[in-house]
Amino acid sequence: MIKYLFGCAGGSGYGSRSTADQVTHNCHSLCSCTAIITGATSGIGAETARVLAKRGARIVMPARNLKSAEETKARIVSEFPDSEIIIMTLDLSSLRSVRSFVSDFQALNLPLNLLINNAGRFSHDHCISEDGMEMTFATNYLGHFLLTKLLMKNMIETAKVTGIQGRIVNVSSSIHTWFSGDLIRSLGQITRDESQYDATRAYAISKLANVLHTKELALRLEQMEANVIVNCVHPGIVRTGLTRDHNGFVTDLIFFLASKLLKTIPQAAATTCYVATHPSLKNVSGKYFVDCNEASASKVACNAEEGVRLWSFSEIMVSNEPKTVVAHFHGLD
């Protein structure tokens, strides 16, 4: 905690107070690279896109809200006029939309060096996707699982042709440690039974799935001898405008301490940018990073059997009709 508060550098040379600009300062030029960044219209994703564009990467920005995407693009281009930013339509909660996006991207005949699965959703209310899946899980995990699966051939081919190692970054959260039960059974419960729904639990399940996916995908890429690595990150909690109605020493102290635990957006984007670009991570795959340093994921997240189980389940989820998905959940009891 002391190390975090003071931003002390870890083994990588960076720490909790490092910014995305700082961690990419010495990286090789990304002028020949193409990066797909989900959730890049605001917050951490927008800062990730800004910094990678600054370093020369072509940015593909999938978005549900095209107006927000155009505004983000305009801000980046105003700062870096030579930036190439391509906006495309994508709703990660819809498997149909994911397939459509991949088809449209592949029609552009572009290389693909970086895939940053950053988009995230926290559904306060119980909601089901058009594919019959709990909405937080559908957006944070399942859409990214299918996106990665469908783009894998592009990444492997680009790495082979260019000799540049492809990198996938899955943005998870330390909240993945808050869940330690049976992921698939619990997912079934919160999907089909609104009374069982808890927003934080749903978010933790989706973020645990991100880590399990990362570790299993790393093993599969290694077995394929593909020149592509995959890692996941906890970006940290972003600092927002804090307001309070009461003054006083205790209240002031609480808000002072809270402000030191939170990150600015440039700091929160640092770990993603570090893992996506830093040359020291060549051939490093299947790891979990916090504050630009490798860290330990939860016991469940490191369970290889759970990773295989989730992968098999995910293949069923992205391959069948929604009614089959719901029937599969009911079969878990």
Side-chain angles (χ1 to χ4, degrees):
M1 179 59 75
I2 297 298
K3 197 173 184 180
Y4 176 89
L5 286 171
F6 287 96
C8 300
S12 68
Y14 304 108
S16 62
R17 296 298 173 241
S18 300
T19 66
D21 268 316
Q22 290 169 344
V23 303
T24 58
H25 182 69
N26 294 318
C27 79
H28 302 302
S29 170
L30 300 178
C31 288
S32 62
C33 291
T34 299
I36 293 177
I37 308 171
T38 68
T41 59
S42 63
I44 296 170
E47 177 66 2
T48 300
R50 186 193 75 84
V51 170
L52 296 189
K54 177 180 181 179
R55 304 303 177 201
R58 175 194 290 118
I59 305 297
V60 177
M61 189 182 294
R64 280 187 308 162
N65 187 328
L66 298 183
K67 183 174 182 290
S68 293
E70 290 289 355
E71 291 170 353
T72 301
K73 174 181 177 177
R75 285 195 297 271
I76 295 172
V77 172
S78 69
E79 189 174 358
F80 310 111
D82 294 332
S83 300
E84 183 179 355
I85 300 175
I86 301 168
I87 294 172
M88 301 179 72
T89 300
L90 173 62
D91 177 356
L92 278 161
S93 72
S94 163
L95 300 179
R96 174 183 48 80
S97 179
V98 172
R99 291 189 175 93
S100 178
F101 166 81
V102 171
S103 177
D104 291 344
F105 172 77
Q106 290 173 338
L108 298 176
N109 292 313
L110 292 173
L112 181 57
N113 307 88
L114 301 173
L115 173 60
I116 300 178
N117 292 321
N118 164 82
R121 176 173 182 149
F122 186 101
S123 290
H124 291 278
D125 299 316
H126 184 260
C127 187
I128 302 299
S129 74
E130 67 181 46
D131 302 292
M133 180 66 59
E134 187 280 315
M135 189 62 81
T136 297
F137 189 85
T139 305
N140 295 358
Y141 169 71
L142 197 63
H144 282 128
F145 174 85
L146 180 60
L147 181 68
T148 304
K149 172 185 168 73
L150 296 179
L151 290 172
M152 194 52 56
K153 183 179 178 181
N154 299 72
M155 296 202 72
I156 292 172
E157 184 63 25
T158 298
K160 186 181 292 186
V161 170
T162 63
I164 301 172
Q165 189 167 68
R167 297 192 183 192
I168 302 166
V169 182
N170 289 331
V171 177
S172 180
S173 168
S174 63
I175 291 175
H176 84 271
T177 63
W178 295 12
F179 182 83
S180 58
D182 186 319
L183 186 155
I184 295 173
R185 184 174 294 279
S186 294
L187 176 63
Q189 290 174 342
I190 63 174
T191 296
R192 66 176 184 262
D193 186 352
E194 186 173 353
S195 68
Q196 295 287 321
Y197 185 72
D198 176 88
T200 302
R201 186 171 173 229
Y203 188 77
I205 287 171
S206 73
K207 290 303 171 181
L208 172 59
N210 290 147
V211 185
L212 287 167
H213 176 222
T214 299
K215 292 184 175 294
E216 178 60 20
L217 179 56
L219 292 174
R220 289 171 182 254
L221 288 168
E222 184 180 7
Q223 290 166 359
M224 294 165 61
E225 298 184 348
N227 189 23
V228 177
I229 60 172
V230 56
N231 292 290
C232 56
V233 304
H234 164 58
I237 303 170
V238 176
R239 182 177 300 161
T240 57
L242 295 175
T243 59
R244 59 179 184 267
D245 298 322
H246 305 286
N247 294 317
F249 175 76
V250 174
T251 304
D252 288 342
L253 178 62
I254 290 171
F255 275 85
F256 173 77
L257 292 173
S259 71
K260 298 305 177 185
L261 292 172
L262 301 176
K263 289 186 175 186
T264 63
I265 287 176
Q267 289 168 346
T271 306
T272 299
C273 290
Y274 172 77
V275 172
T277 66
H278 205 276
S280 68
L281 296 185
K282 182 179 173 67
N283 298 327
V284 174
S285 194
K287 306 300 183 183
Y288 174 67
F289 288 82
V290 178
D291 299 332
C292 300
N293 288 275
E294 189 178 333
S296 297
S298 72
K299 185 177 178 180
V300 177
C302 296
N303 186 321
E305 290 182 1
E306 282 301 301
V308 172
R309 182 170 173 245
L310 176 63
W311 188 287
S312 299
F313 178 79
S314 302
E315 290 282 11
I316 294 171
M317 295 300 101
V318 302
S319 301
N320 288 291
E321 294 298 320
K323 289 181 180 178
T324 308
V325 173
V326 174
H328 188 81
F329 275 145
H330 282 286
L332 291 174
D333 287 336

